[in-house]
């Protein structure tokens, strides 16, 4: 069975976004200050979930990046973080686009890029996890003659 090499902590942009997300979420909750677009576009329960999502996505991502245990657990945590981060940044990008329109095209583009990058990374992580599963299968793991 060949060894798979997965580069750990080699994505400085992802690491910076993951480290910043819980700080932003916590500061918005603690200081009761948030972007006006969020105030207008998101009802209170959605806004609270959005802020909590930033915190959880960041903390899970940091834990995944620093996880000392099994590689599959680390990748799973990173996958969960990227899916959550993509969702909350996507929510913000939609709110910006709908409320501010063309005046926020630059901000919307950058925030949407973070969402797309998060989902892209989630796809890479899924591929890594599938590869790990495939490499663990033995020739005796067949049902009805098919692997």
């Amino acid at each position: 069975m060949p060894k798979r090499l997965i580069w750990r902590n080699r994505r400085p942009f992802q690491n910076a976004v993951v480290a910043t997300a819980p700080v932003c979420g916590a500061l918005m909750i603690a200081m009761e200050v948030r972007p006006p677009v969020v105030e207008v576009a998101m009802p209170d329960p959605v806004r609270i979930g959005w802020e909590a999502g930033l915190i959880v996505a960041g903390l899970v991502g940091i834990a995944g990046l620093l996880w000392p245990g099994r590689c599959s657990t680390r990748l799973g945590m990173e996958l969960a973080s990227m899916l959550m981060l993509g969702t909350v940044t996507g929510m913000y990008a939609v709110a910006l686009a709908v409320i501010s329109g063309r005046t926020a095209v630059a901000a919307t583009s950058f925030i949407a890029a973070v969402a797309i990058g998060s989902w892209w990374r989630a796809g890479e992580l899924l591929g890594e996890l599938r590869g790990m599963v495939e490499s663990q299968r033995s020739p005796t793991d067949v049902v009805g003659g098919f692997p």
Side-chain angles (χ1 to χ4, degrees), residues 6-16 18 61-68 74-75 78 121:
I6 299 171
W7 290 96
R8 186 177 189 161
N9 294 330
R10 297 276 191 212
R11 293 173 178 80
F13 182 78
Q14 174 189 339
N15 295 351
V18 164
I62 291 168
L65 292 170
L66 301 175
W67 191 259
R74 178 176 64 80
L75 291 175
E78 193 177 343
R121 178 67 182 139

Side-chain angles (χ1 to χ4, degrees), residues 47-123:
R47 180 190 45 79
I48 292 166
W50 176 74
E51 292 166 343
L54 279 171
I55 295 169
V56 172
L59 293 178
V60 170
I62 291 168
L65 292 170
L66 301 175
W67 191 259
R70 292 179 53 171
C71 184
S72 59
T73 304
R74 178 176 64 80
L75 291 175
M77 293 171 75
E78 193 177 343
L79 172 62
S81 171
M82 289 297 101
L83 290 172
M84 291 171 60
L85 188 63
T87 300
V88 295
T89 54
M91 288 171 64
Y92 186 47
V94 169
L96 270 171
V98 168
I99 300 299
S100 299
R102 294 187 313 172
T103 61
V105 78
T108 301
S109 299
F110 275 97
I111 298 300
V114 172
I116 292 166
S118 297
W119 291 323
W120 187 302
R121 178 67 182 139

